Amino acid sequence: MTMSVDEQRLTEELDALAAISEVPAPAVTRVVFSDADLRARAYVKSLCAAAGLLVHEDPVGNTFARWIGSRPELPPAGTGSHIDAIPNGGRFDGTVGVLGGLEAIRALQRGGFHPRRSIDLVIFTSEEPTRFLIGCLGSRLLAGTLDETAGEELRGGLDGSSLNEVRARAGFRGPLASVRLAPGAYASFAELHIEQGPLLERHGNDIGVVTAIAAPASLRIFVEGEGGHAGAVLMPDRHDAFLAAAEIALAVESAARSSGSIDTVATAGVCDIFPGVVNSVPSRARLDLDVRDIDQARRDEVLRRIEQACDEVARRRGVRFRIEPINADPPAACAPEVIDAIVRACEARGLGYERMISRAYHDSLFMSRIAPTAMIFIPCRGGVSHRPDEYASPEAIANGTAVLADTLADLSA
Ligand code: HGY
Ligand code: MN
Ligand code: MN
């Protein structure tokens, strides 16, 4: 079977999708269930329908575009990723796996391939934690790691609406319990994604074959101090909530740096201060933390040290802390049979590849709970991601798409 990727068309579609954003290019902002997200969903669904795929959406907006195989009763081979983008993010994170997945299917169609197993392209809802604070919301529900209470408990957006309220406004109804897929619902899952790191470019390799996905944890720390007049309260009498939070943020960095491994990372990505006026001592502060490691025990040790630091700062500064865990997930080991299919595709095409871990999390982290899963990485310039200057070349995207097409042909035969 001769099969070729239409690089030009894929580039144009990625550009068209990038233009559906709440902010001007080159940045992309496309928060789940925002107007931009809904327009982007409509655009991608129209491309899937034009390719003759059968499109359906589940109650949380996970979207499935199926190429029906000759044995439709068999569990399909899956691929896919996400189209939501963090505020002021890049245009390739997630979208390469969705539009590259679609082009991989079209390339197989053009090449005259007929899958035995159906092939599903999945667009997962809310991979980014921007709105509901927890990442991979759609794939978590698919994998059954979040239950129906998430519909009411998860509150996001400026008005604090619940997931159920927000998804209903976006037109997605029905019980969240019905989102869950049974293990074995997919025969395999392979996700194409930009590396979001520098190694492939640094090593001069075309493809990263992902063997494991790091274990993410996120948590909120609320600090209660004592407010007051910025001019009248003397320094020895202060219980400044922001400065206590600042010490915690530094303790987060120190715990990650001193874990003994380069694989441990931690970030205080959000800091809110109340009342947030220049001449008032902060009475409350809130930190949102992101802690990861490929080794779960080492990650959990960082979480423990953060808690220890909170206690120490609370005593010394006379403030109170409350820690609200958001998620603490195990890492994923990718499936040898999917890894081998990706390697075969790279070798058949003479593409340079290396096995590697994913430091970013992806929907594959949760799909691996219900199906043999692995990922295909392509290089991104300087390893930059989650920034407007995120960039992957048309050639790199086409290479990844071709490897994905071969892998899907292999796994759906
Ligand atoms: O944060 C992550 O790892 C992913 O890009 N959402
Ligand atoms: Mn991302
Ligand atoms: Mn992503």
Short mmCIF file of all heavy atoms in Angstrom, two decimals, residues 82 84 86 93-94 127-129 135-136 193 196 216 290 292 358-363 385-386, ligand 1:
data_model
loop_
_atom_site.label_atom_id
_atom_site.label_comp_id
_atom_site.label_asym_id
_atom_site.label_seq_id
_atom_site.Cartn_x
_atom_site.Cartn_y
_atom_site.Cartn_z
N HIS A 82 -6.38 16.57 21.97
CA HIS A 82 -7.31 17.63 22.43
C HIS A 82 -7.17 18.89 21.57
O HIS A 82 -6.14 19.10 20.93
CB HIS A 82 -7.03 17.96 23.90
CG HIS A 82 -5.65 18.51 24.15
ND1 HIS A 82 -5.37 19.84 24.28
CD2 HIS A 82 -4.46 17.87 24.29
CE1 HIS A 82 -4.07 20.03 24.50
NE2 HIS A 82 -3.48 18.84 24.50
N ASP A 84 -8.52 21.95 23.08
CA ASP A 84 -8.53 23.10 23.99
C ASP A 84 -7.09 23.56 24.22
O ASP A 84 -6.17 22.76 24.16
CB ASP A 84 -9.26 22.79 25.30
CG ASP A 84 -8.63 21.68 26.12
OD1 ASP A 84 -8.19 20.67 25.54
OD2 ASP A 84 -8.59 21.83 27.36
N ILE A 86 -4.50 26.35 26.53
CA ILE A 86 -4.42 27.21 27.72
C ILE A 86 -4.41 28.68 27.27
O ILE A 86 -4.12 28.96 26.10
CB ILE A 86 -3.13 26.92 28.54
CG1 ILE A 86 -1.87 27.31 27.77
CG2 ILE A 86 -3.08 25.49 29.02
CD1 ILE A 86 -0.63 27.35 28.64
N ASP A 93 -0.05 22.24 20.43
CA ASP A 93 -0.32 21.35 21.59
C ASP A 93 -1.72 20.75 21.44
O ASP A 93 -2.70 21.47 21.50
CB ASP A 93 -0.20 22.19 22.87
CG ASP A 93 -0.59 21.42 24.11
OD1 ASP A 93 -0.86 20.20 24.00
OD2 ASP A 93 -0.65 22.03 25.19
N GLY A 94 -1.77 19.46 21.22
CA GLY A 94 -3.07 18.77 21.10
C GLY A 94 -3.57 18.71 19.68
O GLY A 94 -3.97 17.65 19.17
N GLU A 127 -8.67 18.80 28.14
CA GLU A 127 -7.38 18.19 28.55
C GLU A 127 -6.65 19.16 29.46
O GLU A 127 -5.94 18.77 30.38
CB GLU A 127 -6.55 17.88 27.31
CG GLU A 127 -5.32 17.02 27.58
CD GLU A 127 -4.08 17.82 27.95
OE1 GLU A 127 -4.12 19.06 27.88
OE2 GLU A 127 -3.08 17.21 28.36
N GLU A 128 -6.83 20.46 29.19
CA GLU A 128 -6.11 21.45 30.01
C GLU A 128 -6.88 21.74 31.30
O GLU A 128 -8.10 21.70 31.33
CB GLU A 128 -5.93 22.75 29.21
CG GLU A 128 -5.09 22.61 27.95
CD GLU A 128 -3.63 22.29 28.21
OE1 GLU A 128 -3.23 22.15 29.38
OE2 GLU A 128 -2.88 22.15 27.23
N PRO A 129 -6.18 22.03 32.38
CA PRO A 129 -6.83 22.26 33.69
C PRO A 129 -7.37 23.68 33.86
O PRO A 129 -7.89 24.03 34.91
CB PRO A 129 -5.68 22.00 34.67
CG PRO A 129 -4.45 22.40 33.92
CD PRO A 129 -4.70 22.06 32.48
N GLY A 135 -6.68 18.42 35.07
CA GLY A 135 -6.36 18.15 33.67
C GLY A 135 -7.00 16.84 33.22
O GLY A 135 -7.34 16.00 34.05
N CYS A 136 -7.16 16.71 31.89
CA CYS A 136 -7.66 15.45 31.32
C CYS A 136 -9.04 15.09 31.85
O CYS A 136 -9.32 13.92 32.15
CB CYS A 136 -6.68 14.32 31.57
SG CYS A 136 -5.09 14.58 30.81
N HIS A 193 1.64 13.72 19.38
CA HIS A 193 1.72 14.98 20.13
C HIS A 193 3.09 15.60 19.95
O HIS A 193 4.08 14.90 19.71
CB HIS A 193 1.49 14.70 21.63
CG HIS A 193 0.95 15.88 22.40
ND1 HIS A 193 1.74 16.93 22.77
CD2 HIS A 193 -0.29 16.17 22.85
CE1 HIS A 193 1.01 17.82 23.43
NE2 HIS A 193 -0.23 17.38 23.50
N GLN A 196 6.97 18.84 23.52
CA GLN A 196 6.91 19.84 24.59
C GLN A 196 8.18 19.75 25.45
O GLN A 196 8.14 19.91 26.67
CB GLN A 196 5.65 19.67 25.47
CG GLN A 196 4.36 19.88 24.70
CD GLN A 196 3.11 19.67 25.53
OE1 GLN A 196 2.92 18.58 26.06
NE2 GLN A 196 2.26 20.68 25.61
N PRO A 216 1.30 13.16 37.37
CA PRO A 216 0.98 14.55 37.74
C PRO A 216 0.21 14.65 39.05
O PRO A 216 -0.58 13.78 39.40
CB PRO A 216 0.10 15.01 36.59
CG PRO A 216 -0.64 13.78 36.16
CD PRO A 216 0.26 12.60 36.46
N ASP A 290 1.64 22.58 40.85
CA ASP A 290 1.69 21.45 39.90
C ASP A 290 3.01 20.72 40.20
O ASP A 290 4.07 21.33 40.14
CB ASP A 290 1.69 22.03 38.48
CG ASP A 290 1.77 20.98 37.39
OD1 ASP A 290 2.63 20.08 37.51
OD2 ASP A 290 1.00 21.05 36.43
N ARG A 292 5.27 17.03 39.57
CA ARG A 292 5.28 15.82 38.74
C ARG A 292 6.61 15.09 38.87
O ARG A 292 7.65 15.69 39.16
CB ARG A 292 5.12 16.17 37.26
CG ARG A 292 3.99 17.12 36.97
CD ARG A 292 3.81 17.34 35.51
NE ARG A 292 2.95 18.50 35.29
CZ ARG A 292 2.36 18.78 34.15
NH1 ARG A 292 2.54 17.98 33.13
NH2 ARG A 292 1.58 19.83 34.02
N SER A 358 7.36 10.86 28.72
CA SER A 358 6.67 12.14 28.54
C SER A 358 6.61 12.85 29.88
O SER A 358 6.05 12.31 30.85
CB SER A 358 5.23 11.93 28.02
OG SER A 358 4.56 13.20 28.03
N ARG A 359 7.17 14.03 29.95
CA ARG A 359 7.11 14.79 31.21
C ARG A 359 5.78 15.54 31.30
O ARG A 359 5.30 15.81 32.41
CB ARG A 359 8.27 15.78 31.27
CG ARG A 359 9.61 15.07 31.22
CD ARG A 359 10.79 16.02 31.34
NE ARG A 359 12.05 15.30 31.10
CZ ARG A 359 12.62 14.50 31.99
NH1 ARG A 359 12.06 14.32 33.15
NH2 ARG A 359 13.73 13.86 31.70
N ALA A 360 5.19 15.86 30.16
CA ALA A 360 3.85 16.44 30.17
C ALA A 360 2.85 15.30 30.33
O ALA A 360 3.14 14.15 29.99
CB ALA A 360 3.58 17.18 28.86
N TYR A 361 1.68 15.63 30.87
CA TYR A 361 0.65 14.58 30.87
C TYR A 361 -0.20 14.75 29.62
O TYR A 361 -0.17 15.78 28.96
CB TYR A 361 -0.19 14.58 32.16
CG TYR A 361 -0.95 15.85 32.48
CD1 TYR A 361 -2.06 16.25 31.74
CD2 TYR A 361 -0.57 16.65 33.56
CE1 TYR A 361 -2.76 17.41 32.04
CE2 TYR A 361 -1.28 17.80 33.88
CZ TYR A 361 -2.35 18.17 33.12
OH TYR A 361 -3.04 19.32 33.42
N HIS A 362 -0.93 13.70 29.30
CA HIS A 362 -1.77 13.70 28.09
C HIS A 362 -2.98 12.81 28.35
O HIS A 362 -2.99 12.04 29.31
CB HIS A 362 -0.98 13.13 26.89
CG HIS A 362 0.28 13.88 26.62
ND1 HIS A 362 0.31 15.07 25.93
CD2 HIS A 362 1.57 13.61 26.96
CE1 HIS A 362 1.56 15.49 25.87
NE2 HIS A 362 2.34 14.65 26.49
N ASP A 363 -3.95 12.89 27.45
CA ASP A 363 -5.10 12.00 27.60
C ASP A 363 -4.69 10.53 27.57
O ASP A 363 -5.36 9.67 28.15
CB ASP A 363 -6.13 12.31 26.50
CG ASP A 363 -6.73 13.70 26.69
OD1 ASP A 363 -7.28 13.96 27.78
OD2 ASP A 363 -6.61 14.53 25.76
N SER A 385 6.74 25.10 24.59
CA SER A 385 5.30 24.80 24.50
C SER A 385 4.56 25.63 25.54
O SER A 385 5.17 26.22 26.43
CB SER A 385 5.05 23.31 24.72
OG SER A 385 3.66 23.02 24.59
N HIS A 386 3.22 25.68 25.39
CA HIS A 386 2.40 26.49 26.30
C HIS A 386 2.83 27.96 26.23
O HIS A 386 2.76 28.69 27.20
CB HIS A 386 2.48 25.99 27.76
CG HIS A 386 1.58 24.81 27.99
ND1 HIS A 386 1.28 24.33 29.25
CD2 HIS A 386 0.93 24.00 27.14
CE1 HIS A 386 0.46 23.29 29.16
NE2 HIS A 386 0.25 23.05 27.88
O1 HGY B 1 0.16 20.18 31.59
C1 HGY B 1 0.35 19.28 30.78
O2 HGY B 1 1.21 18.43 30.92
C2 HGY B 1 -0.49 19.22 29.54
O3 HGY B 1 0.15 19.96 28.55
N1 HGY B 1 -1.81 19.72 29.76
#
